[in-house]
Coordinates of all heavy atoms in Angstrom, one line a residue:
P69 N 3.8 14.7 -13.2 CA 3.5 14.5 -14.5 C 2.9 13.2 -14.8 O 3.4 12.1 -14.3 CB 4.8 14.7 -15.3 CG 5.7 15.4 -14.3 CD 5.2 15.1 -13.0
A70 N 1.9 13.0 -15.7 CA 1.3 11.7 -16.0 C 2.3 10.8 -16.9 O 3.0 11.5 -17.7 CB 0.0 11.9 -16.7
P71 N 2.3 9.6 -16.6 CA 3.3 8.8 -17.4 C 2.7 8.6 -18.8 O 1.6 8.8 -19.0 CB 3.3 7.4 -16.6 CG 2.0 7.4 -15.9 CD 1.7 8.8 -15.5
H72 N 3.6 8.3 -19.7 CA 3.2 8.1 -21.1 C 2.4 6.9 -21.2 O 2.4 6.0 -20.3 CB 4.4 8.0 -21.9 CG 5.2 9.2 -22.1 ND1 5.1 10.0 -23.2 CD2 6.1 9.8 -21.3 CE1 5.9 11.1 -23.0 NE2 6.5 11.0 -21.8
A73 N 1.5 6.8 -22.1 CA 0.6 5.8 -22.3 C 1.2 4.5 -22.9 O 0.5 3.7 -23.4 CB -0.6 6.2 -23.1
D74 N 2.5 4.3 -22.7 CA 3.2 3.1 -23.4 C 3.3 1.9 -22.3 O 4.3 1.6 -21.9 CB 4.6 3.5 -23.9 CG 5.5 4.1 -22.8 OD1 5.0 4.4 -21.7 OD2 6.7 4.1 -23.0
G75 N 2.2 1.5 -21.8 CA 2.2 0.4 -20.9 C 0.8 0.1 -20.4 O -0.2 0.5 -21.0
G76 N 0.7 -0.8 -19.4 CA -0.6 -1.2 -19.0 C -1.1 -0.3 -17.8 O -0.5 0.6 -17.4
W78 N -3.2 -1.2 -14.0 CA -3.8 -2.1 -13.1 C -4.2 -1.4 -11.8 O -3.6 -0.4 -11.4 CB -2.7 -3.2 -12.7 CG -2.2 -4.0 -13.8 CD1 -2.7 -5.2 -14.3 CD2 -1.1 -3.6 -14.7 NE1 -2.0 -5.6 -15.4 CE2 -0.9 -4.7 -15.6 CE3 -0.2 -2.6 -14.8 CZ2 0.0 -4.7 -16.6 CZ3 0.8 -2.6 -15.7 CH2 0.9 -3.6 -16.6
L100 N -1.7 1.3 -10.7 CA -0.3 1.2 -11.4 C -0.5 1.3 -12.8 O -1.5 0.7 -13.5 CB 0.3 -0.1 -11.1 CG 1.6 -0.5 -11.8 CD1 2.8 0.5 -11.4 CD2 2.0 -1.9 -11.5
Q101 N 0.3 2.3 -13.5 CA 0.2 2.4 -14.9 C 1.6 2.6 -15.5 O 2.4 3.1 -14.8 CB -0.8 3.5 -15.3 CG -0.4 4.8 -14.8 CD -1.4 5.9 -15.2 OE1 -2.3 5.6 -16.0 NE2 -1.3 7.1 -14.6
G102 N 1.8 2.2 -16.7 CA 3.0 2.5 -17.4 C 3.8 1.2 -17.6 O 3.2 0.1 -18.0
S103 N 5.1 1.3 -17.6 CA 6.0 0.2 -17.8 C 7.1 0.3 -16.8 O 7.2 1.2 -16.1 CB 6.5 0.3 -19.3 OG 7.3 1.5 -19.4
P104 N 8.1 -0.7 -16.9 CA 9.3 -0.6 -16.1 C 10.2 0.7 -16.3 O 10.8 1.2 -15.4 CB 10.1 -1.8 -16.3 CG 9.1 -2.8 -16.8 CD 8.1 -2.0 -17.5
A105 N 10.1 1.2 -17.5 CA 10.9 2.4 -17.9 C 10.2 3.6 -17.5 O 10.9 4.7 -17.2 CB 11.2 2.4 -19.4
R106 N 8.9 3.7 -17.5 CA 8.2 5.0 -17.3 C 6.8 4.6 -16.7 O 6.1 3.9 -17.3 CB 8.0 5.8 -18.6 CG 7.4 7.0 -18.5 CD 7.2 7.7 -19.9 NE 8.4 7.7 -20.6 CZ 9.4 8.5 -20.6 NH1 9.2 9.7 -19.9 NH2 10.4 8.5 -21.4
G107 N 6.5 5.2 -15.6 CA 5.2 4.8 -15.0 C 4.9 5.6 -13.7 O 5.6 6.5 -13.3
E108 N 3.8 5.2 -13.1 CA 3.3 5.8 -11.9 C 2.6 4.7 -11.0 O 1.8 3.9 -11.6 CB 2.4 6.9 -12.2 CG 1.9 7.7 -10.9 CD 1.1 8.9 -11.3 OE1 0.0 8.8 -11.8 OE2 1.5 10.0 -10.9
L109 N 2.8 4.8 -9.8 CA 2.2 3.9 -8.7 C 1.6 4.8 -7.7 O 2.3 5.7 -7.1 CB 3.1 2.9 -8.1 CG 2.5 2.1 -6.9 CD1 1.5 1.2 -7.4 CD2 3.7 1.4 -6.3
L122 N 4.4 7.4 -6.6 CA 5.6 7.2 -7.1 C 5.6 7.3 -8.6 O 4.8 6.7 -9.3 CB 6.1 5.8 -6.7 CG 7.3 5.1 -7.2 CD1 8.5 5.9 -6.7 CD2 7.4 3.6 -6.8
H123 N 6.5 8.1 -9.1 CA 6.5 8.4 -10.6 C 8.0 8.2 -11.0 O 8.9 8.6 -10.3 CB 6.1 9.9 -10.8 CG 6.2 10.2 -12.3 ND1 5.3 10.0 -13.2 CD2 7.3 10.9 -12.9 CE1 5.7 10.4 -14.4 NE2 6.8 11.0 -14.2
W124 N 8.1 7.5 -12.1 CA 9.5 7.3 -12.7 C 9.5 7.4 -14.1 O 8.5 7.2 -14.8 CB 10.0 5.9 -12.2 CG 9.2 4.8 -12.8 CD1 9.5 4.0 -13.9 CD2 8.0 4.2 -12.2 NE1 8.6 3.0 -14.1 CE2 7.7 3.1 -13.0 CE3 7.3 4.4 -11.0 CZ2 6.6 2.3 -12.8 CZ3 6.2 3.7 -10.8 CH2 5.8 2.6 -11.6
E125 N 10.7 7.8 -14.6 CA 11.0 7.9 -16.0 C 12.5 7.7 -16.1 O 13.2 7.7 -15.2 CB 10.6 9.3 -16.6 CG 11.1 10.4 -15.8 CD 10.5 11.7 -16.2 OE1 9.3 11.7 -16.5 OE2 11.2 12.7 -16.3
P126 N 13.0 7.5 -17.4 CA 14.5 7.3 -17.5 C 15.3 8.4 -16.8 O 15.1 9.6 -17.0 CB 14.8 7.3 -18.9 CG 13.4 6.8 -19.6 CD 12.3 7.4 -18.6
G127 N 16.2 8.0 -15.8 CA 17.0 8.9 -15.1 C 16.5 9.6 -13.9 O 17.2 10.4 -13.2
R128 N 15.2 9.4 -13.6 CA 14.6 10.0 -12.4 C 13.4 9.3 -11.8 O 12.6 8.8 -12.7 CB 14.1 11.4 -12.9 CG 13.6 12.3 -11.8 CD 13.3 13.6 -12.2 NE 12.7 14.5 -11.3 CZ 13.3 15.1 -10.3 NH1 14.6 15.0 -10.1 NH2 12.5 15.9 -9.4
A129 N 13.4 9.2 -10.5 CA 12.3 8.6 -9.8 C 11.9 9.5 -8.7 O 12.8 10.1 -8.0 CB 12.6 7.2 -9.4
L143 N 14.6 4.1 -10.2 CA 13.4 3.6 -9.5 C 13.9 2.5 -8.5 O 13.5 2.5 -7.3 CB 12.4 2.9 -10.4 CG 11.2 2.2 -9.8 CD1 10.4 3.2 -9.0 CD2 10.4 1.6 -10.9
I157 N 10.4 -4.6 -9.7 CA 9.5 -3.8 -10.5 C 9.4 -4.3 -11.9 O 8.3 -4.5 -12.4 CB 9.8 -2.3 -10.4 CG1 9.6 -1.8 -9.0 CG2 9.0 -1.6 -11.4 CD1 8.2 -1.9 -8.5
T158 N 10.6 -4.6 -12.5 CA 10.5 -5.0 -13.9 C 9.8 -6.3 -14.0 O 8.9 -6.5 -14.9 CB 12.0 -5.2 -14.4 OG1 12.6 -4.0 -14.4 CG2 12.0 -5.7 -15.9
F161 N 5.8 -6.1 -13.6 CA 5.1 -5.8 -14.8 C 4.9 -7.0 -15.7 O 3.8 -7.2 -16.2 CB 5.7 -4.7 -15.7 CG 5.5 -3.2 -15.2 CD1 6.3 -2.7 -14.2 CD2 4.3 -2.6 -15.6 CE1 6.0 -1.4 -13.8 CE2 4.1 -1.3 -15.1 CZ 4.9 -0.8 -14.2

Side-chain angles (χ1 to χ4, degrees):
H72 291 260
D74 59 344
W78 300 270
L100 172 65
Q101 59 183 349
S103 68
R106 181 183 314 270
E108 183 175 65
L109 172 66
L122 176 63
H123 175 82
W124 64 95
E125 57 191 33
R128 182 171 175 84
L143 177 59
I157 294 300
T158 300
F161 278 93

